[in-house]
Amino acid sequence: MSNEYDPGSGAISVEGRSPGAVFGLLGDESRLQILQALGETPDEPVPFAELHRRSGVDDSGRFNYHLGKLRGTFVRRTDDGYELTYAGRQVIGAIYAGLYTANATVEAIPVEGSCPVCGGGLVAEYAEETASVDCTACEDFHNDFWFPPGSLDQFEPEELPLAFDRWMCHVIRGVIDGFCYTCAGRMDGRLVVDDADEGIGGLPAHAEFECDRCGSTATTSGGAPMLYHPAVAGFLYDHGFENGRTPTWELGAVGLPTGELLSESPPRMRVQLEHDGERVVTTLEDDMSISSVERITVG
């Protein structure tokens, strides 16, 4: 066996196709019926006869024709039948999520909890595919973010504020990990210094992320990236706050992040949390990477 390095072993090959040609494949109801039939058991190949039965496309010739059109893009053939490709799964997921088929609004719902900044009341709302959780007394606690409309009817009204919050945390975690929430492209972050008294969450700088493929952007508090670092997540868990489970408005019970600039050019910031005799201190670099984390006993 040779251990010599093959310079071609890591080559990346991406074949582009016209979006018009690809999406044009979905312009027939029979093809959507076939995709939805496969979507009934997305993790299992479906034999030809069973797929024909599920699809409801009675004419065999018509079924064969449209299945053939879908193969290679949204459907693949296996030894055990037919299954969705990743693209096919995305289409089915978008249908379930109501991305193209649902339009919804949710009137203001009182949130069980209080603003971590001022102690005021919170309300959750939904309109134009955007969920928001805001303080009614101050402007310092304000979150708004895209939320799939087809997911609304999966929850009772009183459950929606927490569902919104958990979805937001899910999206932010992906953004911080470098993946665009729109196109799954690479997302890069940067630390942006704020003018006095204009920082998000009382910090002197905030985080901005941008996708280098589709241009989608996200803005968070400069303290958000530290909250998802494993060492900080462990600190929070030890003090009764579980990332992605405990509502973000309850972070005030542990303590809101505080920070100070270490330099403005390039921007660098020290951010810390302190609670019950312990402190965790992180250093954020200008690209939003965390270069150091220290957990300290105080008092």
Side-chain angles (χ1 to χ4, degrees):
M1 179 181 294
S2 173
N3 291 321
E4 292 183 7
Y5 170 67
D6 178 3
S9 63
I12 298 174
S13 176
V14 178
E15 179 184 348
R17 297 179 63 187
S18 162
V22 172
F23 286 106
L25 295 174
L26 300 175
D28 186 280
E29 185 177 352
S30 295
R31 296 174 195 175
L32 290 176
Q33 288 175 240
I34 292 170
L35 291 179
Q36 288 177 295
L38 288 170
E40 292 177 17
T41 52
D43 296 321
E44 299 176 7
V46 181
F48 177 86
E50 172 64 12
L51 180 58
H52 187 191
R53 183 194 67 79
R54 284 189 195 179
S55 72
V57 182
D58 294 330
D59 184 88
S60 296
R62 183 175 176 81
F63 173 78
N64 279 321
Y65 172 78
H66 289 298
L67 178 60
K69 287 293 184 180
L70 292 170
R71 283 182 58 185
T73 302
F74 298 107
V75 174
R76 70 167 61 91
R77 185 175 182 177
T78 72
D79 292 339
D80 298 317
Y82 294 85
E83 64 183 12
L84 295 169
T85 62
Y86 179 76
R89 284 173 174 264
Q90 291 296 98
V91 170
I92 290 300
I95 291 172
Y96 284 140
L99 300 188
Y100 312 119
T101 58
N103 186 21
T105 59
V106 177
E107 295 182 357
I109 301 171
V111 176
E112 187 176 341
S114 57
C115 174
V117 179
C118 75
L122 300 172
V123 294
E125 298 178 87
Y126 184 88
E128 298 182 352
E129 301 174 315
T130 300
S132 63
V133 180
D134 300 321
C135 177
T136 60
C138 75
E139 298 181 355
D140 292 325
F141 188 86
H142 170 73
N143 293 320
D144 63 84
F145 42 90
W146 171 80
F147 185 87
S151 298
L152 292 171
D153 62 3
Q154 302 290 299
F155 302 93
E156 296 297 326
E158 64 272 14
E159 296 177 309
L160 281 174
L162 181 57
F164 290 163
D165 192 71
R166 289 179 66 180
W167 176 263
M168 180 189 70
C169 292
H170 163 74
V171 172
I172 289 176
R173 184 186 296 273
V175 167
I176 290 171
D177 285 342
F179 294 98
C180 177
Y181 54 88
T182 300
C183 74
R186 177 173 177 169
M187 214 160 196
D188 295 315
R190 66 189 184 106
L191 189 62
V192 179
V193 177
D194 292 304
D195 293 333
D197 301 323
E198 291 186 3
I200 301 175
L203 297 175
H206 67 271
E208 292 184 0
F209 299 86
E210 183 172 3
C211 176
D212 62 5
R213 181 160 64 189
C214 75
S216 291
T217 61
T219 301
T220 73
S221 158
M226 76 170 291
L227 300 178
Y228 294 92
H229 188 283
V232 180
F235 171 88
L236 291 170
Y237 184 82
D238 289 344
H239 292 282
F241 185 95
E242 186 176 358
N243 268 345
R245 297 285 177 178
T246 307
T248 55
W249 52 82
E250 292 186 9
L251 181 61
V254 177
L256 298 178
T258 60
E260 60 176 334
L261 285 177
L262 299 176
S263 67
E264 291 195 19
S265 184
R268 298 179 70 238
M269 181 168 65
R270 178 181 292 117
V271 185
Q272 66 180 35
L273 285 168
E274 184 172 331
H275 183 74
D276 197 23
E278 274 198 298
R279 180 185 302 148
V280 61
V281 184
T282 63
T283 301
L284 273 68
E285 302 297 332
D286 63 330
D287 62 355
M288 296 314 302
S289 63
I290 295 176
S291 59
S292 68
V293 182
E294 187 177 9
R295 190 164 170 173
I296 308 165
T297 300
V298 297

